[in-house]
Amino acid sequence: MRIEQFEYLIDIEKTRSITQTAENFFISRQVVSANIRAMETELGVQLLIRQQGNLKFTTLGEIAVEKARAIVSSYQDFLASVSPLSELTDTNSLPSISIFSIPRLASTMITDALFQYRKKNPETDIRMITQSSKEVLASISTVNNAIGFISYPDHVNCNMEPFQLAQFPDLTIHPLIASKFYICLHKNSRYNTKQTFTNRDLASLPLLSFTPAYEILSNFSEFPLNIVSNINDLSTLQSLIQEDFGIGLITLNEFNRLLRDSDDLILRPIQSDSNSNIYYAYVLNEESAQNPYINDFIRSLRSK
């Protein structure tokens, strides 16, 4: 199980709505539902009772939520404590920055950038907290000396210009990366029949969707995607592709960062007239935008 699944479960307990939780995390309802069902399957228990729009937790589900809170809290404490400066008794006099990020970026490019930043700025006290995109925006609007990382909200219009959200007028949101989706398969796969695949192919081939491929690609495809499994863990995705259970949907950026050492996995492009990219952005308030340490971290990020 992944930390995002625990976060989804906790949020559902607050909202009592899978749809609202999906909106809070800027993902589709299907992704949240699939992740909760995956938890239930792995645990061998039912966590939620779903009856005609009435969502309730089972007794074991209520216990799971309490345990999930402790897990997420411990995870966030771990991220905050792994700073090399955490062993110092007094960090009040040190320069500090806070990083609020969705888990998907916290485990990939932000980790890489922190390594580079640390070599230049070993004296900085860094605190990193993982949240949903909506929570990141709320945090950045009230915390100074902070930077946030979110899933770019304007998927449909493919708007990559810096803009301000109406509900957060003091924030500026800057495009960080756009990564296109590819098909990933084993080099000896029975599905490795073409150099380029089309949207029509995605309606017939068994697809393993590494979240959030499904909700992004489905917006741009005239054909329904043949998703056989929604997966939120790269090691599981890699295993299923290698076993030729299906073909993976993954971005080029994620493949290069996380699966590039897998010599038996290859990428094939998806031919489409539509812009089937996923977007990420970083968020600053006015004071944080003037912080030289945050600007230095941004430079480390963009050098990756």
Side-chain angles (χ1 to χ4, degrees):
M1 279 176 278
R2 291 174 58 87
I3 194 68
E4 295 97 320
Q5 291 173 299
F6 295 114
E7 291 174 330
Y8 298 158
L9 192 68
I10 294 170
D11 199 73
I12 290 173
E13 196 275 334
K14 297 177 185 177
T15 64
R16 297 289 166 168
S17 168
I18 290 178
T19 299
Q20 184 59 55
T21 290
E23 292 179 2
N24 290 346
F25 283 85
F26 288 101
I27 58 177
S28 73
R29 187 184 189 282
Q30 292 93 330
V31 170
V32 175
S33 181
N35 273 277
I36 297 302
R37 291 191 185 279
M39 291 183 72
E40 292 176 323
T41 299
E42 187 170 346
L43 293 170
V45 300
Q46 185 178 7
L47 301 176
L48 299 178
I49 300 174
R50 309 163 178 85
Q51 292 180 339
Q52 297 180 345
N54 186 17
L55 194 65
K56 295 182 179 180
F57 278 81
T58 64
T59 301
L60 288 176
E62 292 175 351
I63 295 174
V65 170
E66 292 304 314
K67 297 296 183 182
R69 288 197 182 96
I71 290 171
V72 171
S73 177
S74 296
Y75 177 72
Q76 292 177 346
D77 288 344
F78 167 76
L79 292 177
S81 66
V82 295
S83 165
L85 298 175
S86 62
E87 60 189 30
L88 299 180
T89 57
D90 182 15
T91 60
N92 291 331
S93 61
L94 297 172
S96 65
I97 61 174
S98 298
I99 300 173
F100 297 86
S101 173
I102 58 174
R104 194 181 187 92
L105 289 181
S107 61
T108 53
M109 59 189 310
I110 292 178
T111 302
D112 294 342
L114 278 174
F115 178 76
Q116 298 297 326
Y117 178 83
R118 272 292 181 203
K119 292 194 296 185
K120 298 179 180 179
N121 302 276
E123 78 286 0
T124 310
D125 179 24
I126 299 176
R127 306 178 187 278
M128 187 161 71
I129 302 170
T130 57
Q131 296 179 324
S132 68
S133 291
K134 184 176 181 180
E135 290 171 332
V136 169
L137 291 171
S139 296
I140 296 299
S141 65
T142 59
V143 177
N144 292 324
N145 302 322
I147 183 171
F149 295 90
I150 65 172
S151 174
Y152 208 76
D154 198 359
H155 293 302
V156 177
N157 297 318
C158 304
N159 178 11
M160 287 298 290
E161 294 298 321
F163 72 102
Q164 292 182 325
L165 293 180
Q167 60 268 47
F168 299 104
D170 296 329
L171 299 184
T172 54
I173 300 180
H174 306 270
L176 177 63
I177 188 172
S179 197
K180 189 174 183 178
F181 285 101
Y182 283 74
I183 282 176
C184 179
L185 39 78
H186 192 278
K187 61 183 179 182
N188 297 324
S189 170
R190 56 186 155 165
Y191 306 115
N192 187 16
T193 58
K194 298 181 177 182
Q195 292 299 310
T196 301
F197 290 82
T198 66
N199 287 338
R200 186 181 293 275
D201 294 323
L202 303 187
S204 58
L205 294 172
L207 303 178
L208 308 169
S209 172
F210 180 58
T211 317
Y214 172 80
E215 64 267 22
I216 303 301
L217 284 178
S218 61
N219 289 335
F220 298 103
S221 179
E222 58 183 306
F223 305 102
L225 303 184
N226 183 31
I227 303 292
V228 296
S229 181
N230 281 292
I231 301 167
N232 208 26
D233 177 76
L234 271 175
S235 61
T236 302
L237 177 68
Q238 182 176 354
S239 297
L240 292 177
I241 294 173
Q242 289 173 329
E243 294 170 6
D244 210 22
F245 183 77
I247 59 178
L249 291 174
I250 190 171
T251 66
L252 178 61
N253 177 265
E254 288 162 340
F255 181 87
N256 287 338
R257 290 181 179 276
L258 304 173
L259 296 180
R260 58 189 171 194
D261 294 330
S262 302
D263 295 333
D264 54 351
L265 298 183
I266 57 176
L267 291 184
R268 291 286 184 261
I270 301 172
Q271 184 179 2
S272 174
D273 294 331
S274 302
N275 190 340
S276 54
N277 289 350
I278 183 171
Y279 303 105
Y280 297 110
Y282 66 89
V283 187
L284 300 171
N285 60 30
E286 184 175 352
E287 180 170 330
S288 297
Q290 308 302 318
N291 187 312
Y293 295 97
I294 288 179
N295 287 323
D296 199 16
F297 177 72
I298 294 172
R299 284 191 288 270
S300 298
L301 189 73
R302 291 197 175 278
S303 67
K304 298 306 295 175

